[in-house]
Amino acid sequence: MNLEKQKLTPIFTALSKYREENIVHFDVPGHKKNKDTFIAKAMGEDIISFDANSTKELDMLSHPVGVILEAEELLAEAYGADNAFMLVNGSTFGVQTMILSACAPKDKIIIPRNVHKSVINAIILSGATPIFIQPEIDYNYGIANGVKVETVKETIKAHPDAKAIFIINPTYFGVASDLRKIIKICHRHNIAVLVDEAHGAHLPFHPYLPDCAMKLGADMSTASLHKTAGSLTQSSALFHNEGIIDINKIRGTINLMQTTSASYLLLASMDIARSNLALKGKKIFADLLKKCAEAKVRLSKVAGISVISEDYIDENDEHGIYDFDDTKFVIKVNELGLSGFQVYKILKEEYNIQLELAESYVVLAVVGIGDTNETIDTLVSAFEDLSKRFYGKKEPFKIEISNFFEKPKTIVLPRDAYFSPKSTICIDDALGQVCGESIMIYPPGIPLIIPGELITEKIISSYKYYMEQNCVVMNDDEEQGIIKVLGEDENE
């Protein structure tokens, strides 16, 4: 990587120059950079002065030939990719672009069942046929890990005509599969490897972090720069290595769906974040990883608390845990007599700490480049105090974890189910019906069930459990307990 070139921030530099020219604007946006407008007074003059429309000087995201092209080339170099595309629709859009670029209708794509809802939406949009594989499950922590190499081999043997495989690197909980071997195996069969690195935009910048998909030779990956690289929310990037998937197909797919009014605030923030990590990332994450290791040692000594650390790694691939991102704090709390959902709520309401997400037994805290010794100490101190308040006061919280990892049976392909006639019924009446919508628990947005899958007693029980825990259960109907199933309503 050319560090001298990585000092450049072409979009941010051009935007800074452009806003200093005192142009009289008769183009959009409508605030015209007027410091007396309501939006400037509410959000600050700097915000609106950087909020620009595409011009010759600022280039155009849908057809970059100037500063955006230069920024994308620097981004590709920083991530070890042949090509990079800046995205302003988040990694949700990156995921959709990858799948639509790799799969035509009816093409098979191998997918772990713990994917984000954006993957299921992409399956519906593309018409591809999902071949679901189960990730390995840690029933102690109650989380899904990565996928085993052997599982991938067996699936390819059963479906040698698969066009692509979709891998999460790392998972929401920081676990990485043996991506190097998976890529090697898939490429022997001319299967494109698509990687969701939404939570891994920081991976290329320190050797103690899990390997980055592009540097291992994956065909495409998408990374949420806003999640772990420090850019503004909704800014993301799509990466591509030449080979199986044609770059023109990718560009065409992007332009099919991405806005033509790209936010230069987002683009400039990616430009700055990339340069910062390329130049300083190794030092930044060396310091952070040291702080994380020290904090996890403290947490491991807290009664009723356990935390995943580097000793979780299983290089023999018995449990789908080839590597682990130590910036993720997966903290098991059920021995306190509380569920993860209760701890999530307590920390926000009583300690003013916002965690990333909760599950039945664990909560997840994500450490990023903006964290300090003080913020990490605040997190650890809160758990030390929780232990004093709750440990030993009541029985550990227990629930049948296996119920939450049932692999639903596919009856109808997701796209066919999405476009089929549906009726709306109470969840209590849904046993044995075929689901007509995606039902997600958010965060992180992993579907409990998707269109075309069979509704079982365990699905209904899980749905009710998440409702009782005051989780955000996302489905089409705003009324709780009401879902769509296939088949027209006989009363209509």
Side-chain angles (χ1 to χ4, degrees):
M1 183 162 52
N2 187 330
L3 294 182
E4 199 60 37
K5 283 179 62 179
Q6 288 293 329
K7 291 179 181 178
L8 301 175
T9 53
I11 297 174
F12 178 70
T13 301
L15 195 57
S16 298
K17 181 181 177 182
Y18 185 75
R19 72 170 188 158
E20 292 170 2
E21 292 178 355
N22 294 319
I23 297 168
V24 178
H25 285 279
F26 283 95
D27 60 348
V28 297
H31 55 64
K32 305 301 180 85
K33 302 185 186 297
N34 184 340
K35 65 181 181 180
D36 293 322
T37 55
F38 72 97
I39 194 74
K41 291 177 179 177
M43 302 189 72
E45 293 179 30
D46 276 347
I47 294 290
I48 66 161
S49 68
F50 278 112
D51 187 28
N53 186 32
S54 294
T55 65
K56 187 174 182 179
E57 303 98 312
L58 299 180
D59 207 359
M60 180 176 290
L61 186 59
S62 58
H63 183 65
V65 294
V67 293
I68 294 178
L69 178 61
E70 186 181 350
E72 289 183 335
E73 289 172 347
L74 290 168
L75 191 59
E77 182 190 50
Y79 280 80
D82 291 335
N83 304 293
F85 304 86
M86 288 180 155
L87 307 178
V88 294
N89 296 39
S91 284
T92 288
F93 177 64
V95 164
Q96 293 171 346
T97 299
M98 288 196 296
I99 293 176
L100 268 72
S101 297
C103 298
K106 305 301 181 184
D107 282 347
K108 292 180 180 178
I109 178 170
I110 300 167
I111 299 175
R113 189 56 182 79
N114 60 323
V115 291
H116 186 262
K117 67 173 184 176
S118 59
V119 179
I120 306 306
N121 292 344
I123 294 296
I124 292 170
L125 289 169
S126 67
T129 300
I131 306 299
F132 288 115
I133 55 175
Q134 277 292 76
E136 299 303 300
I137 306 300
D138 184 325
Y139 292 103
N140 180 39
Y141 277 84
I143 61 173
N145 288 325
V147 295
K148 293 170 60 174
V149 171
E150 192 58 37
T151 302
V152 173
K153 285 182 179 178
E154 292 171 359
T155 306
I156 292 175
K157 186 176 181 180
H159 300 277
D161 55 341
K163 289 294 180 69
I165 186 171
F166 189 93
I167 298 292
I168 309 166
N169 185 60
T171 66
Y172 295 102
F173 299 103
V175 173
S177 306
D178 191 345
L179 192 54
R180 185 186 300 275
K181 284 186 180 178
I182 290 172
I183 291 170
K184 188 175 182 180
I185 292 164
C186 290
H187 281 177
R188 283 177 186 161
H189 295 82
N190 201 38
I191 294 173
V193 181
L194 316 178
V195 183
D196 178 353
E197 282 189 338
H199 288 264
H202 59 304
L203 297 186
F205 303 103
H206 197 279
Y208 293 169
L209 294 167
D211 292 323
C212 169
M214 286 292 98
K215 292 183 178 180
L216 293 179
D219 296 278
M220 296 181 74
S221 72
T222 189
S224 295
L225 272 68
H226 70 92
K227 285 187 171 73
T228 59
S231 62
L232 294 178
T233 297
Q234 203 172 311
S235 56
S236 183
L238 181 67
F239 299 100
H240 169 243
N241 280 328
E242 303 284 355
I244 296 176
I245 302 173
D246 181 66
I247 188 172
N248 294 318
K249 175 69 172 178
I250 299 169
R251 175 59 74 189
T253 304
I254 289 173
N255 287 342
L256 181 69
M257 298 186 292
Q258 184 163 245
T259 178
T260 55
S261 300
S263 167
Y264 278 87
L265 290 168
L266 300 185
L267 295 175
S269 76
M270 281 189 273
D271 211 14
I272 298 166
R274 179 268 313 153
S275 180
N276 180 58
L277 285 182
L279 299 176
K280 304 175 184 177
K282 190 172 182 179
K283 174 67 166 59
I284 290 170
F285 283 100
D287 292 343
L288 270 182
L289 289 168
K290 183 175 183 292
K291 294 171 187 173
C292 290
E294 292 169 351
K296 289 179 182 182
V297 169
R298 277 180 63 190
L299 283 170
S300 68
K301 298 176 180 178
V302 178
I305 294 289
S306 58
V307 59
I308 291 178
S309 58
E310 63 179 11
D311 58 5
Y312 196 62
I313 296 170
D314 170 26
E315 293 186 6
N316 293 323
D317 203 32
E318 293 181 11
H319 306 291
I321 315 162
Y322 179 74
D323 208 346
F324 182 73
D325 175 6
D326 275 310
T327 66
K328 306 294 191 295
F329 279 64
V330 184
I331 304 170
K332 188 167 182 277
V333 297
N334 67 302
E335 295 295 325
L336 298 177
L338 302 168
S339 71
F341 303 109
Q342 289 173 308
V343 169
Y344 179 94
K345 182 179 180 182
I346 290 170
L347 284 181
K348 179 61 169 66
E349 294 180 353
E350 300 180 29
Y351 295 84
N352 206 31
I353 293 174
Q354 180 64 65
L355 296 172
E356 175 68 13
L357 60 86
E359 284 292 350
S360 295
Y361 285 1
V362 302
V363 291
L364 173 65
V366 176
V367 171
I369 62 173
D371 276 301
T372 63
N373 284 329
E374 289 72 26
T375 61
I376 296 173
D377 180 68
T378 298
L379 178 73
V380 176
S381 296
F383 282 99
E384 290 172 338
D385 192 55
L386 279 180
S387 175
K388 293 174 184 176
R389 291 175 58 190
F390 294 102
Y391 183 64
K393 305 293 171 59
K394 56 182 179 177
E395 290 296 312
F397 174 78
K398 296 288 184 182
I399 194 166
E400 185 52 60
I401 288 293
S402 61
N403 288 347
F404 300 99
F405 295 101
E406 180 182 68
K407 182 182 177 183
K409 184 178 181 181
T410 299
I411 306 298
V412 179
L413 288 176
R415 180 181 175 87
D416 294 338
Y418 179 83
F419 287 106
S420 294
K422 303 175 187 67
S423 57
T424 302
I425 64 174
C426 176
I427 186 69
D428 291 318
D429 300 324
L431 181 63
Q433 300 281 348
V434 178
C435 192
E437 61 179 318
S438 289
I439 298 175
M440 275 87 59
I441 313 304
Y442 192 87
I446 296 173
L448 177 65
I449 192 166
I450 67 173
E453 291 182 336
L454 185 68
I455 301 172
T456 63
E457 287 185 4
K458 288 183 179 179
I459 294 294
I460 295 172
S461 175
S462 296
Y463 182 100
K464 290 182 174 180
Y465 168 75
Y466 285 121
M467 295 298 300
E468 290 167 359
Q469 294 294 325
N470 293 315
C471 298
V472 178
V473 180
M474 298 175 62
N475 58 301
D476 292 348
D477 203 290
E478 293 183 2
E479 185 178 348
Q480 294 182 353
I482 301 297
I483 68 168
K484 289 180 179 176
V485 297
L486 298 195
E488 293 186 15
D489 193 334
E490 295 179 358
N491 296 322
E492 291 185 357

